[in-house]
Amino acid sequence: MEIQLWREILEPYGQAVDELVVKFNHIKQEYQNARMYSPIESVSGRVKSISSIMEKTQRKNVRIEELEDKIEDIAGIRIICQFVEDINTVVKIIRKRGDLEVKQEKDYITNSKPSGYRSYHIYGPKKLEVEIQIRTLAMNFWSTIEHSLQYKYKEHMPEELRKRLLSAADAVGVLDNEMASVRDEIMDAQNHNRQKANIIADIVRSIEELYYVANKREVEKIQDEFYKIYKQNDMTMLKRFNKQLDIIAETYRAQSLNARSYSVIQNH
């Protein structure tokens, strides 16, 4: 294949990766906007480098002209989840999408590879094939290290190092299982932090609006009161203050609207 054709081949894959990263980040944002727990922690994507593609075609005895038909992971998306259970949720989301068509699935979580590799792979159809890997944070850490070592040693990784990697993979499995056992506690803590962040954002937004409709000195008093409550780290007090602030802000907004309405009538 002529060298200048590489860009023509790989550019559409890059566009597909960018589009899918945006798509999955939007799914994550939808959960967050609804103030719900998102099964997607982070999303990244890549197109294989030319050297990696050439190495893989050589290893699998694939002619360069056949690479788009026989190499499934030219483009890849990696979705990271906090918990193993989240992976199944993401898989179900992908299956239900009308704009994504699943070609095949490989479950390396239920049945991990002999090396200890664990992940869930979904492949799109040949319209433009993209591999989607779904892993936990712990799985991703192990896989990144293992990939680097495989790249360094090719097919000749020292047996002692291979054993240690396999042992580390077992430890990752134990860690994921341990995290799953305290999942409810972790999610409660995260929901608490998320709820607190949302309340504080609401309060700050209300105070900012008051600067446009209320007396500056009064707003500064409200702001000082907010800082006092914030330092006490009491969620109940923050919620109560937020409700009171909503009433105050609504009163000022109503007064402002009435004043503008009266001004328009007078001018008329």
Side-chain angles (χ1 to χ4, degrees):
M1 185 178 68
E2 295 179 6
I3 293 295
Q4 62 263 37
L5 293 180
W6 277 107
R7 179 176 294 179
E8 293 179 23
I9 290 173
L10 298 182
E11 190 170 337
Y13 286 95
Q15 293 171 353
V17 165
D18 291 344
E19 182 180 332
L20 283 172
V21 169
V22 170
K23 199 182 295 287
F24 284 109
N25 274 322
H26 181 69
I27 293 171
K28 175 184 175 182
Q29 191 63 49
E30 284 180 336
Y31 275 92
Q32 293 176 339
N33 289 344
R35 299 191 175 182
M36 296 169 58
Y37 170 76
S38 171
I40 297 174
E41 175 70 16
S42 64
V43 184
S44 61
R46 62 99 183 100
V47 175
K48 268 189 179 299
S49 66
I50 294 173
S51 62
S52 293
I53 294 173
M54 292 179 68
E55 181 184 319
K56 191 161 190 175
T57 55
Q58 185 177 19
R59 189 170 70 249
K60 291 183 173 290
N61 198 27
V62 173
R63 289 185 297 127
I64 292 292
E65 292 75 14
E66 302 175 311
L67 69 91
E68 288 194 89
D69 294 319
K70 295 189 176 181
I71 303 298
E72 298 172 322
D73 62 344
I74 294 174
I77 298 295
R78 186 166 297 157
I79 299 173
I80 306 300
C81 307
Q82 291 195 84
F83 304 101
V84 176
E85 294 89 342
D86 296 336
I87 293 175
N88 292 328
T89 303
V90 174
V91 170
K92 289 175 184 176
I93 290 171
I94 293 171
R95 288 173 182 163
K96 289 179 181 178
R97 299 281 300 193
D99 53 349
L100 297 175
E101 184 181 337
V102 176
K103 175 183 175 184
Q104 64 171 307
E105 301 180 31
K106 295 180 181 178
D107 184 355
Y108 296 124
I109 295 173
T110 305
N111 302 294
S112 62
K113 288 185 176 182
S115 65
Y117 177 87
R118 297 175 73 220
S119 185
Y120 200 104
H121 293 202
I122 294 179
Y123 298 85
K126 185 60 196 81
K127 294 172 185 175
L128 199 61
E129 189 166 307
V130 177
E131 178 191 52
I132 300 175
Q133 300 176 348
I134 313 170
R135 306 170 175 170
T136 63
L137 291 159
M139 291 175 197
N140 190 58
F141 173 72
W142 184 93
S143 298
T144 302
I145 301 301
E146 192 263 356
H147 177 77
S148 298
L149 290 172
Q150 290 285 8
Y151 189 81
K152 175 182 179 181
Y153 290 105
K154 310 300 181 190
E155 303 297 325
H156 307 288
M157 187 184 296
E159 186 59 28
E160 177 61 25
L161 185 55
R162 193 182 304 277
K163 288 179 180 178
R164 293 175 71 176
L165 267 178
L166 187 57
S167 177
D170 291 338
V172 166
V174 171
L175 175 61
D176 273 334
N177 289 335
E178 195 64 30
M179 290 298 100
S181 70
V182 293
R183 183 174 185 265
D184 290 343
E185 286 292 327
I186 294 171
M187 289 186 65
D188 281 346
Q190 291 177 342
N191 287 335
H192 178 273
N193 291 337
R194 198 157 38 242
Q195 186 180 25
K196 182 179 178 182
N198 288 333
I199 290 172
I200 289 172
D202 288 344
I203 291 172
V204 170
R205 186 163 49 248
S206 294
I207 292 175
E208 286 175 342
E209 290 176 0
L210 282 175
Y211 270 103
Y212 293 100
V213 295
N215 180 280
K216 183 178 179 181
R217 187 171 295 176
E218 292 179 8
V219 179
E220 287 175 348
K221 287 181 181 179
I222 292 171
Q223 184 172 282
D224 290 342
E225 183 64 22
F226 163 59
Y227 286 137
K228 287 178 184 177
I229 293 172
Y230 174 79
K231 287 178 181 178
Q232 294 182 51
N233 197 28
D234 188 317
M235 183 69 87
T236 302
M237 292 179 68
L238 274 173
K239 288 180 179 178
R240 189 184 304 124
F241 181 80
N242 191 30
K243 288 181 179 179
Q244 292 171 347
L245 191 55
D246 278 343
I247 295 170
I248 294 170
E250 187 59 39
T251 300
Y252 274 107
R253 277 194 293 268
Q255 289 175 354
S256 178
L257 285 172
N258 289 337
R260 281 201 292 269
S261 175
Y262 179 75
S263 175
V264 168
I265 292 171
Q266 286 290 92
N267 290 336
H268 182 74

